[in-house]
Each structure stands twice: as C-alpha cells, then as structure tokens.
Amino acid sequence: MSEHILTEREGAVMIVRMNRPEKKNALTRAMYKTMAEVLTRADQDASVRSVLITGGHDCFTSGNDVADFLQAPPNGLNSEVFMFMQALFDFTKPVVAAVCGPAVGIGTTLLLHCDLVYASRDATLKMPFVSLGLCPEYGSSMILPQLVGQAKATELLLLGSAFSGEQAAAWGIANQALHDGAATTAKAFDMAQRFGSLPPTALADSKRLMRAPNREQLRKVIVEEGELFSQRLHSPEAREAMTAFMQRRKPDFSNL
Ligand code: COA
C-alpha cells in the first residue's frame, strides 16, 4: 500500500484520495498499484456503492511522476499504471471525480473514464503528451475527438493547450464547474452519495449499457496507445523533455 493514497469510507462511498502535496500529487508506481487494488476490492465489496476520486482542495494530480518516467519507465501492459487504467476501465460501479487545481496528463485522461466529474472553475487541465515527446494515452485519442470534436481535440492533444474547469464543463468533459475547491469536493461527494440509495444491479447494468458501444474498440486503442507510449518514453525527445522539466529549464529539441 502506498502511503500517498488515502482511503476512507463515508457510508456507501469509498473515497480515494491522492495525497502527495509536496509533489503536486504526482503518481508513482506504488500509488497506481494501490489505487488499482483499492478499486478492485471496492468492486467486489457489495457495501461500496460508488467511488469518489479526489486530490484534495488544491491539486488533483500533476500526472505521472516524471522522475519515475525517467528512472523506471512503465513496462507496457504489465505496468502498475496499466493495472490502474484497467481497474478503472472495468469498474462496474459509479465513479465520481472532484478536480481542483492542476490535473495534468493522466489527471485529465482518467476523467474520461469516470461517470461524473466536478471541477473547480479555476482547475487547470492539461494533456502535454506531445510536448513531452509522448503520445495520447488511456483512450484519449479516440474519446476526445468524439466528445469535443476534432478541431478542439487537436488543440488539447497535439498542442497540449491548458484549459480551465469552466471550459471542461462547457465542453462536456466535466458535469459542472464550481466556485472553489471545497464546493467542488462537497458537490462530488453529494453526487457519489446519491448512488447509494439506488438499486445496485440496475445501476451496474445501466452503466455497462451506456459504455457498451465502441467499448472493445476503445480497449484496443488503449493497448495500442500504451505500447506506443512505452516506446516513446525511451525516445531522445521524451528524455530531453523530461530531463528539462526536472532541471527546471526549457527543453531543446533543435538537434533531434
Ligand atoms: N513528476 C514529478 N515531480 C513533479 C511533478 C511530476 N509530474 N509535478 C510536480 N512535481 C514536483 C516539482 O518537481 C516540484 O518538486 P521540488 O519542489 O522538489 O522542486 C514540486 O512537485 C512542485 O512543483 P512545481 O512545478 O514547483 O509547482 P507549480 O505549482 O509551479 O506547478 C504543475 C504545478 C503541476 C503545473 C507543474 O509542476 C507541472 O507542470 N508538472 C509536470 C506535469 C507533467 O508534465 N506531468 C506528466 C504528464 S504525462
């Protein structure tokens, strides 16, 4: 179990909190593994009716730990990050996310697999995959163009343009933008709690039906993206981009 993932039961809601504030909740391999295990257990536990994913009032997550990417890049489909992706993708109960502050990389793409998303108005979402020498992940290359249109998806995925919680709500990535972190977390928890009073099998069946179209195609895309992403992590482009981040300088791709 990672000390940076806190879990708490509030009635029928399982709250999963990323808690590594000194690194903006950057996700390590141990954190992914713990989240995967927590989700798997929550799915099997009949007393859990929904899950709330949060990073607290100030930061959702800065995405994958860049130092981990450099020192121990994920090994494709056997990696902890893939275990987490699969556990969330296959989760049968409703998942609600409360997004406050930065939500970078997988901090944004995981939202595409949640059932309800609440964001603070000034949350900063970003998918800087290309500028890191990487490629889209977790089905985002398929889901985003469908959700926001090809033109907007190009800005978000190829240019890696940042966007606010308010824009996320306007574009259908989030359900609603709220005025601050506390209001966002309270709203997300309230919505997660509402699922507790509904008949669980009807809920699970309905979630499955809503996600059924394109599901197998999406599963293939996630695998294809994951394989390419793992390859790209070893590329000179990615190593320069990530080393530059760690050294707090601008990357230099001029010789690549
Ligand atoms: N991996 C590893 N460390 C990270 C990190 C990450 N993804 N994100 C932040 N950190 C660390 C910083 O290195 C810094 O560590 P230090 O205090 O030991 O120097 C600390 O967290 C605080 O980050 P900082 O950049 O100073 O905070 P900020 O408020 O100015 O900016 C972010 C916050 C999230 C916008 C910025 O940290 C960022 O862009 N992070 C990288 C995101 C990223 O590229 N993720 C990978 C996506 S695939």
Side-chain angles (χ1 to χ4, degrees), residues 185-198:
T185 311
K187 174 76 183 184
F189 177 70
D190 176 45
M191 299 305 278
Q193 220 172 11
R194 288 195 200 186
F195 289 113
S197 58
L198 294 172

Side-chain angles (χ1 to χ4, degrees), residues 37-60:
E37 288 166 356
V38 167
L39 284 174
T40 304
R41 273 201 307 276
D43 220 12
Q44 289 160 357
D45 180 345
S47 69
V48 174
R49 297 296 178 86
S50 64
V51 165
L52 171 63
I53 301 182
T54 169
H57 295 345
D58 300 318
C59 180
F60 190 60

Side-chain angles (χ1 to χ4, degrees), residues 177-233:
L178 293 108
H179 56 86
D180 65 15
T184 304
T185 311
K187 174 76 183 184
F189 177 70
D190 176 45
M191 299 305 278
Q193 220 172 11
R194 288 195 200 186
F195 289 113
S197 58
L198 294 172
T201 307
L203 197 51
D205 282 348
S206 303
K207 170 168 171 164
R208 183 171 42 76
L209 284 170
M210 285 175 70
R211 292 189 174 257
N214 297 330
R215 187 162 177 79
E216 290 320 306
Q217 168 74 9
L218 181 56
R219 201 185 287 277
K220 278 192 206 143
V221 169
I222 293 172
V223 169
E224 195 184 331
E225 288 171 341
E227 284 169 347
L228 188 55
F229 194 100
S230 297
Q231 284 172 28
R232 292 222 50 84
L233 277 171

Side-chain angles (χ1 to χ4, degrees), residues 22-24 26 62-66 69 102 104-105 129 132 245 248:
E22 69 284 5
K23 295 288 179 189
K24 302 285 171 185
S62 58
N64 203 103
D65 187 292
V66 174
F69 264 163
V104 187
F129 301 119
L132 285 170
F245 171 75
R248 291 187 175 268

